[in-house]
Amino acid sequence: AFDVVVLDPPTWTKTAAGAVDLVRDYQSLFKPCVLAARPGGTVLAVNHVASVELDEWVDSLERCAKKAGRPLEDVTVLPPEQDYPSPDGKHPLKMALARVAAG
């Protein structure tokens, strides 16, 4: 198990195994990260999709971890730096430190 796992996938990609779409497939990428983190460990989760609302995304992380049997103890949202503005206030870059419950 790892102390820190980083998940920063591209918005969309196509591989020999098929296409990955973050809007549809983020939980299937997040689950193995939560399972790879040690109890008390952290997953740095990143999402670049502008159409995904921050609160809904964080809720989906919490639901996914709970369903995987590894509930999250805490989720800390990391705001983007001010030199990376968003004209509409809905920033496409979303980052969260998701701490897996210790036990």
Side-chain angles (χ1 to χ4, degrees), residues 28-64:
S28 66
L29 300 171
F30 184 69
K31 179 181 176 181
C33 295
V34 170
L35 295 174
R38 70 168 175 76
T42 300
V43 177
L44 168 58
V46 181
N47 187 318
H48 302 272
V49 180
S51 64
V52 173
E53 295 290 334
L54 176 63
D55 292 340
E56 291 176 16
W57 178 64
V58 170
D59 288 345
S60 76
L61 299 179
E62 292 173 335
R63 284 192 315 272
C64 178

Side-chain angles (χ1 to χ4, degrees), residues 73-89:
E73 184 174 305
D74 182 60
V75 177
T76 302
V77 173
L78 304 173
E81 295 294 326
Q82 290 184 350
D83 63 345
Y84 190 42
S86 173
D88 64 359

Side-chain angles (χ1 to χ4, degrees), residues 1-7 31-44 70 98-101:
F2 297 92
D3 292 334
V4 177
V5 178
V6 177
L7 174 60
K31 179 181 176 181
C33 295
V34 170
L35 295 174
R38 70 168 175 76
T42 300
V43 177
L44 168 58
R70 302 291 303 277
R99 190 167 5 126
V100 178

Side-chain angles (χ1 to χ4, degrees), residues 11-13 18-29 47 49 52:
T11 302
W12 188 88
T13 189
V20 175
D21 174 5
L22 281 193
V23 173
R24 184 187 67 226
D25 300 324
Y26 201 92
Q27 289 188 7
S28 66
L29 300 171
N47 187 318
V49 180
V52 173

